[in-house]
Amino acid sequence: MAAVYTTAWMHLFWRPEQPLLLAAGMFTGALIYGGIGIVLAAVLRSELAGFLAIMISSIDLLLQNPLINPDADSQVVRFLPAYGAVQTSVTAGGLPGVPSSCLLLGAGWAVGMAVLGMAAFAVRTRTHHPCTDQGSPASVEQAAPVP
């Protein structure tokens, strides 16, 4: 829904060449940062998770901005989480092609963050079964004499 909302707002001020591809890029970016948020929320137990999610997204997008970073086309930038989503959205703005490799890269980041988030959540919320040593309910029942 956020991708449709963002695309609609952008459409008020700018006419992209491929609005559906722009929505796909925005959707991919939302999934990536949502996955990062899930990972951070599963690992951290405070407001620090939200702060780190905002900082990660800000730094990620600032490093990709050629007006701020003169090395925005370096090989290191290609490993950032939102690189595929940003390239897809930029392509949708004025080019007729479909950057399938960028879409796959964004989808890979989104799936990877979702899997990592679910794994972290499973580890943090798993239940521990009581062992059968002395003091556990199972050993107390066995030790009680039968009348």
Side-chain angles (χ1 to χ4, degrees):
M1 190 67 190
V4 173
Y5 182 73
T6 306
T7 304
W9 270 105
M10 290 179 81
H11 226 327
L12 291 175
F13 303 102
W14 174 55
R15 299 287 181 232
E17 184 81 22
Q18 302 180 64
L20 291 177
L21 188 61
L22 177 63
M26 295 294 162
F27 182 69
T28 304
L31 287 178
I32 291 168
Y33 289 126
I36 290 172
I38 290 170
V39 170
L40 291 173
V43 173
L44 303 172
R45 294 278 188 200
S46 66
E47 296 85 21
L48 183 62
F51 175 74
L52 285 177
I54 292 170
M55 291 307 297
I56 288 170
S57 65
S58 296
I59 292 170
D60 180 14
L61 296 174
L62 284 173
L63 289 175
Q64 294 184 50
N65 187 341
L67 297 175
I68 296 171
N69 182 13
D71 296 326
D73 61 345
S74 71
Q75 294 294 329
V76 176
V77 173
R78 296 171 194 247
F79 293 106
L80 294 174
Y83 179 79
V86 168
Q87 295 301 312
T88 300
S89 299
V90 169
T91 301
L95 299 174
V98 175
S100 57
S101 62
C102 292
L103 281 170
L104 290 174
L105 178 64
W109 267 100
V111 169
M113 288 293 110
V115 167
L116 186 62
M118 286 188 280
F121 180 76
V123 167
R124 295 283 288 196
T125 59
R126 69 176 178 214
T127 57
H128 298 283
H129 298 299
C131 47
T132 58
D133 59 354
Q134 292 183 9
S136 70
S139 62
V140 172
E141 289 175 7
Q142 291 174 355
V146 177

